[in-house]
Amino acid sequence: LFVIIHQTKELWLKQMIRTKTPFFEKLVLFWHDYFATNYSTVPRTDALTRQNSLLRQYCKGNLRDFVKAINKDWAMMIFLDTEDNQK
C-alpha cells in the first residue's frame, strides 16, 4: 500500500517537473492545498488521482463552477464524510 502511495506522489512530482506548463501545475498544487484531502482520510489513490484531474480541469476557469465540481468530487465527499454527516 505504501508503495502505491509513493508511486502516485512520484508520478505527480515528475509531472510537475517535466511539464511544459509549470504555472498550471503550480495552480493545481495550490488548489490541492486549499481543498485539502489526504490519503489517511481518503485511502483511495484512484479517487485522489481523479481529484487531481478535476483540479487540472477547473483550476484556471470559473471559480463558481470549480467549487460546484469539487463539492461533488468523490475524494472530497469521502474526506468530508458526506454519507454519515447529518448536518
Side-chain angles (χ1 to χ4, degrees):
L1 187 60
F2 175 76
V3 171
I4 293 170
I5 297 167
H6 181 71
Q7 288 172 341
T8 304
K9 287 180 181 180
E10 187 176 312
L11 284 172
W12 190 20
L13 286 172
K14 284 180 182 178
Q15 184 170 355
M16 282 190 252
I17 292 168
R18 295 179 179 160
T19 185
K20 294 180 181 179
T21 55
F23 178 72
F24 187 72
E25 282 302 314
K26 287 179 184 177
L27 279 174
V28 173
L29 182 60
F30 170 79
W31 286 115
H32 175 73
D33 186 48
Y34 190 81
F35 294 108
T37 55
N38 56 50
Y39 192 80
S40 63
T41 308
V42 184
R44 302 284 312 243
T45 55
D46 55 338
L48 295 170
T49 301
R50 266 200 246 168
Q51 185 181 58
N52 272 3
S53 295
L54 182 117
L55 295 174
R56 275 187 196 86
Q57 179 182 351
Y58 285 95
C59 74
K60 291 191 331 184
N62 182 293
L63 183 60
R64 182 180 302 247
D65 294 341
F66 182 29
V67 172
K68 284 180 184 179
I70 200 75
N71 282 329
K72 295 176 186 176
D73 176 64
W74 183 30
M76 187 59 74
M77 293 175 78
I78 294 169
F79 183 76
L80 296 174
D81 196 23
T82 58
E83 284 189 16
D84 296 328
N85 190 343
Q86 299 297 317
K87 292 197 177 193

